[in-house]
Amino acid sequence: MKFGVFCIFSLLVPLFNTINAHYELQAPPSRGFEDSLEPNPPCGGFNIVNSSLITNFPISQGIATANFFDGDGTLYFYFAPNINSTFISVSDAQKLVNPDIGQQVHVSVNLSKANAVVGSQGILQSVFNLSTGNGAWYQCADIKVTGDTRSSANNTQSSANNTQSSANNTLSNANNAQSSANIINALPNINVFVLLIWLFTYFVFLNRI
Ligand SMILES: *[C@@H]1O[C@H](CO)[C@@H](O)[C@H](O)[C@H]1NC(C)=O
Ligand SMILES: *[C@@H]1O[C@H](CO)[C@@H](O)[C@H](O)[C@H]1NC(C)=O
Ligand SMILES: *[C@@H]1O[C@H](CO)[C@@H](O)[C@H](O)[C@H]1NC(C)=O
Ligand SMILES: *[C@@H]1O[C@H](CO)[C@@H](O)[C@H](O)[C@H]1NC(C)=O
Ligand SMILES: *[C@@H]1O[C@H](CO)[C@@H](O)[C@H](O)[C@H]1NC(C)=O
Ligand SMILES: *[C@@H]1O[C@H](CO)[C@@H](O)[C@H](O)[C@H]1NC(C)=O
Ligand SMILES: *[C@@H]1O[C@H](CO)[C@@H](O)[C@H](O)[C@H]1NC(C)=O
């Protein structure tokens, strides 16, 4: 019996975390995501540069992607050209009502609005203002500003092609966001699968007593 309770509990924990999540900045990848810290400005609890996670982002034709789990409100993007500067608006407001779990939201970002300079490193901040007026949820990504060689849509396509041709066993950094989105989307299914395995194990275990 105790074994069964343990099994049920151990699979409910990840299931609960998935449902409880708010939203995560995926592309460019956020410094980190912690559900309970997300209401804390300016970066949802991750307020220092993650030097192992600095990704390239085009200066005026960027497209940022956020993965939503709940919340009604409006999503904004801001850019701070260096760690001591203030955040300047770099996107239009994107309204979101009752997002589906795992819904991806793509927002055009123009870093030129914040006088970004190619080659510099700064912080892209996403702020999701709750329509209830009860504050906001924050995410940040460390980015290196690059020139606009092509549109982000084209970048995504070419990264996908790179991944296919270079090595079938590794994913490029650029594709990590997409891939973690898929993993997150698949989580509830994994949980059902794990539940079935645990229940099977549990009943086999019972029968042996
Ligand atoms: C920085 O990002 C890496 C992923 O590249 C992650 O493993 C690590 O935990 C992050 N560090 C902090 C301090 O959040
Ligand atoms: C940010 O401010 C700190 C303290 O004033 C200073 O030491 C640091 O050099 C500044 N960094 C940049 C990139 O301006
Ligand atoms: C980006 O913003 C700059 C400055 O406001 C503007 O001149 C430029 O046309 C914008 N580019 C795009 C692609 O929206
Ligand atoms: C978003 O919410 C934050 C925190 O409540 C607030 O400081 C900010 O002014 C809001 N921004 C907009 C554009 O409404
Ligand atoms: C993206 O690629 C398509 C097809 O090659 C091209 O028509 C389009 O202009 C490109 N977009 C940008 C912004 O470069
Ligand atoms: C990626 O591959 C597809 C299929 O081979 C091709 O149609 C597309 O043009 C490629 N995109 C880029 C940016 O190379
Ligand atoms: C990657 O895998 C696909 C499907 O299995 C295959 O068609 C392709 O040739 C592989 N690419 C490389 C570089 O091995």
Side-chain angles (χ1 to χ4, degrees):
M1 191 60 199
K2 272 179 186 162
F3 179 67
V5 170
F6 169 75
C7 293
I8 304 273
F9 182 74
S10 61
L11 70 91
L12 281 183
V13 168
L15 185 64
F16 180 76
N17 283 343
T18 306
I19 289 169
N20 202 33
H22 297 324
Y23 85 97
E24 183 173 4
L25 183 57
Q26 288 200 316
S30 79
R31 284 174 176 176
F33 165 74
E34 178 66 55
D35 202 39
S36 60
L37 299 177
E38 200 162 43
N40 301 331
C43 292
F46 295 83
N47 296 341
I48 54 168
V49 174
N50 187 338
S51 51
S52 66
L53 200 56
I54 300 165
T55 50
N56 290 342
F57 199 80
I59 188 161
S60 71
Q61 294 174 346
I63 292 184
T65 303
N67 201 29
F68 273 82
F69 295 90
D70 63 349
D72 284 352
T74 309
L75 183 64
Y76 304 88
F77 282 85
Y78 299 87
F79 181 65
N82 72 60
I83 58 172
N84 292 333
S85 56
T86 54
F87 287 103
I88 301 164
S89 172
V90 290
S91 78
D92 292 336
Q94 177 101 11
K95 203 162 166 49
L96 210 65
V97 178
N98 269 332
D100 294 329
I101 292 178
Q103 182 175 330
Q104 289 194 319
V105 176
H106 306 283
V107 180
S108 293
V109 169
N110 183 352
L111 302 177
S112 295
K113 290 179 176 173
N115 299 317
V117 175
V118 170
S120 67
Q121 187 192 319
I123 305 158
L124 185 68
Q125 178 201 47
S126 62
V127 181
F128 186 66
N129 276 30
L130 298 167
S131 56
T132 53
N134 292 332
W137 297 334
Y138 299 86
Q139 286 273 274
C140 285
D142 296 303
I143 57 175
K144 189 170 176 215
V145 181
T146 64
D148 288 320
T149 49
R150 55 194 142 193
S151 79
S152 289
N154 290 355
N155 278 336
T156 306
Q157 186 58 53
S158 101
S159 302
N161 288 358
N162 281 341
T163 306
Q164 273 259 304
S165 60
S166 61
N168 272 341
N169 56 355
T170 47
L171 283 174
S172 77
N173 241 354
N175 272 347
N176 272 344
Q178 185 58 45
S179 128
S180 35
N182 293 341
I183 289 167
I184 289 169
N185 285 339
L187 265 181
N189 294 336
I190 291 170
N191 279 321
V192 169
F193 184 65
V194 168
L195 171 64
L196 290 175
I197 290 179
W198 277 122
L199 285 178
F200 179 76
T201 313
Y202 177 47
F203 285 117
V204 167
F205 183 77
L206 261 192
N207 287 340
R208 286 176 58 186
I209 294 172

